[in-house]
Amino acid sequence: MKKVADEIYGYSYGEPEVAASPVTLQQLEELKASVGMTGEDEQYLRLAGQVLADQTAQVVEHWRGRIIGSIPQLARHSRTPEGNAIPEYLAKSNLRFRQWILDTCNRPYDQDWINYQEEIARRHTSRKKNQVDGVRSTPYVPLRDIIAFIAVMNETIKPYLGAKGHPAAEVDRMHNAWCKSVQLQAAIWARVYMDGTATTMEW
Amino acid sequence: MKKVADEIYGYSYGEPEVAASPVTLQQLEELKASVGMTGEDEQYLRLAGQVLADQTAQVVEHWRGRIIGSIPQLARHSRTPEGNAIPEYLAKSNLRFRQWILDTCNRPYDQDWINYQEEIARRHTSRKKNQVDGVRSTPYVPLRDIIAFIAVMNETIKPYLGAKGHPAAEVDRMHNAWCKSVQLQAAIWARVYMDGTATTMEW
């Protein structure tokens, strides 16, 4: 599977240390139905993966540098509680963020994929944020900001999907497939935020 | 404020019976920043409201009849536990669904709007589902399916936004504004699902 770098610190996709999720393949199939994901969408995700392969650094710089960096309640999650930058933390998590773009496009959506979605979510909650990188930063990223920021990612990814000269109709299809995948992921991430509580039942 | 019908059963937007949300206007402003909503987006939402005004019945028929009706794990939420149709329930909730489209486009996003977002979410949880209409149906709609189905609503609304002959660039802007609003709403809905638990802290 294509990676954005030979070594991605803290990236443990498919490794045994990633906890098994209680979300089943059957639930994943149902979620795919709920977002409307078809086999054709999966093909357009693969195409998006080719289109984005050499643009992940720019995309993440766009999101992290130009947008998140300018919104105080988002920017603080990469800084110390006192508001100081932690460049190594940003560099490491940016590399994982870049790999997430490719994984969204290229990985088969199977149990490993579900498990890693939950690992990604845990690393945004107080259970695991900061732990992988051994840093002192905010204890968690609120779920609301993650759900909200999806709108920004979806809007801003589109020009990158069009950057290799594909016809507008194909760019639209890549974009629709991308949006479906991210929404599917967000649905799974939400479970981790609700985990271990009475409300998980209604997840 | 424009309504889809003079009488909308169970629609209580802005009425004193709607519980006050603990989500503050300050948090709403932060969420608007996180989704990237600007004053220009608000103008395009108003334009979308004009474009969609006479299409809400078709849009909801598209979502409910053509899509939800064909996906068993979604369709069951409008039926009895035994799987029988409840036509009056569907008719009433379809009218509110149509009004939701207009409210998304036309309402000022203020405390009443926040409160009603939470009311909408409560009516999808075991705390209030079925109650307004006095029906016997599934006890709640899982949050994951709500988050997932947003992808379908966002994809399928676009042709309706383009149905009045606006230039493609304007349709894109209406669509982006729409997607931002729905994501913002989903962020608030998630709080209701987490409410009253230890994890609400990380909402």
Side-chain angles (χ1 to χ4, degrees):
Chain A
M1 193 59 62
K2 194 172 170 57
K3 285 170 65 182
V4 296
D6 289 337
E7 285 294 323
I8 305 175
Y9 185 89
Y11 178 71
S12 56
Y13 194 109
E15 291 179 19
E17 72 206 57
V18 177
S21 163
V23 176
T24 64
L25 289 172
Q26 170 64 27
Q27 288 176 313
L28 176 62
E29 286 308 310
E30 290 178 0
L31 280 173
K32 283 166 72 175
S34 293
V35 298
M37 186 171 285
T38 64
E40 198 172 51
D41 287 312
E42 291 174 26
Q43 288 172 14
Y44 279 104
L45 276 174
R46 302 294 174 269
L47 182 59
Q50 293 170 30
V51 165
L52 295 172
D54 66 355
Q55 301 186 86
T56 59
Q58 292 157 267
V59 173
V60 168
E61 162 56 25
H62 189 148
W63 292 341
R64 270 266 166 71
R66 284 160 61 185
I67 303 180
I68 294 175
S70 69
I71 301 175
Q73 87 267 12
L74 300 183
R76 67 196 168 99
H77 300 303
S78 302
R79 299 186 178 153
T80 68
E82 297 77 27
N84 297 316
I86 317 172
E88 327 82 71
Y89 181 35
L90 207 55
K92 286 174 180 168
S93 69
N94 279 352
L95 208 55
R96 295 193 296 267
F97 208 173
R98 290 173 56 190
Q99 183 60 36
W100 170 79
I101 295 172
L102 294 193
D103 286 343
T104 294
C105 297
N106 296 334
R107 291 280 188 181
Y109 292 5
D110 54 16
Q111 194 67 51
D112 274 344
W113 184 85
I114 296 171
N115 296 348
Y116 206 61
Q117 291 309 321
E118 296 220 334
E119 177 67 13
I120 289 171
R122 266 192 301 279
R123 291 179 182 190
H124 288 77
T125 70
S126 58
R127 268 185 292 164
K128 267 198 133 170
K129 185 170 181 290
N130 307 328
Q131 200 174 293
V132 171
D133 302 290
V135 293
R136 216 168 47 84
S137 181
T138 56
Y140 59 87
V141 181
L143 177 62
R144 64 181 180 273
D145 285 320
I146 292 176
I147 293 176
F149 194 69
I150 287 171
V152 171
M153 295 196 291
N154 286 350
E155 180 179 10
T156 54
I157 196 99
K158 200 166 180 187
Y160 296 96
L161 291 170
K164 304 292 183 186
H166 290 80
E170 289 206 347
V171 174
D172 277 344
R173 286 176 156 202
M174 285 189 267
H175 188 243
N176 278 334
W178 166 272
C179 292
K180 288 173 187 181
S181 173
V182 178
Q183 215 66 21
L184 173 52
Q185 294 179 51
I188 297 174
W189 300 337
R191 201 200 71 81
V192 174
Y193 276 83
M194 295 162 82
D195 201 18
T197 70
T199 60
T200 314
M201 197 187 71
E202 302 197 16
W203 167 73
Chain B
M1 192 61 60
K2 193 172 172 55
K3 286 170 67 182
V4 295
D6 288 338
E7 285 294 321
I8 305 176
Y9 186 89
Y11 178 70
S12 55
Y13 195 109
E15 290 178 21
E17 73 207 58
V18 178
S21 163
V23 176
T24 64
L25 289 172
Q26 171 64 28
Q27 288 175 314
L28 176 62
E29 285 308 308
E30 289 178 0
L31 280 173
K32 283 166 71 175
S34 292
V35 298
M37 185 171 285
T38 64
E40 199 171 50
D41 287 311
E42 291 175 27
Q43 288 171 13
Y44 278 103
L45 276 174
R46 302 294 174 272
L47 182 59
Q50 293 170 29
V51 164
L52 296 172
D54 65 356
Q55 301 186 88
T56 58
Q58 292 157 267
V59 174
V60 168
E61 162 56 26
H62 189 148
W63 292 342
R64 269 268 167 72
R66 285 159 60 185
I67 304 180
I68 293 176
S70 68
I71 302 174
Q73 87 267 10
L74 301 183
R76 67 195 168 101
H77 300 303
S78 302
R79 299 185 178 154
T80 68
E82 297 76 28
N84 297 316
I86 317 172
E88 328 81 72
Y89 182 33
L90 207 53
K92 286 175 181 169
S93 70
N94 279 352
L95 207 54
R96 294 193 297 267
F97 208 172
R98 290 173 56 190
Q99 182 61 35
W100 171 78
I101 295 172
L102 294 193
D103 285 344
T104 295
C105 297
N106 296 333
R107 292 280 188 181
Y109 292 5
D110 54 16
Q111 194 67 49
D112 273 343
W113 184 85
I114 296 171
N115 296 348
Y116 206 61
Q117 292 309 321
E118 297 219 335
E119 177 66 13
I120 289 170
R122 264 191 303 277
R123 291 179 183 191
H124 289 77
T125 70
S126 59
R127 267 185 293 164
K128 266 198 133 169
K129 185 169 182 287
N130 308 329
Q131 199 175 295
V132 171
D133 303 290
V135 293
R136 216 168 49 83
S137 181
T138 57
Y140 59 87
V141 181
L143 176 62
R144 63 182 181 273
D145 286 319
I146 292 177
I147 293 176
F149 193 68
I150 287 171
V152 171
M153 294 196 292
N154 286 350
E155 179 178 10
T156 54
I157 196 101
K158 202 167 178 186
Y160 295 96
L161 291 171
K164 304 292 182 186
H166 291 81
E170 288 205 350
V171 174
D172 278 344
R173 286 178 156 197
M174 284 189 268
H175 188 243
N176 279 332
W178 167 273
C179 293
K180 289 174 187 180
S181 173
V182 178
Q183 216 65 22
L184 173 52
Q185 294 179 50
I188 296 174
W189 300 337
R191 200 200 71 81
V192 174
Y193 277 82
M194 296 162 81
D195 201 18
T197 71
T199 60
T200 313
M201 198 187 70
E202 303 198 14
W203 168 73

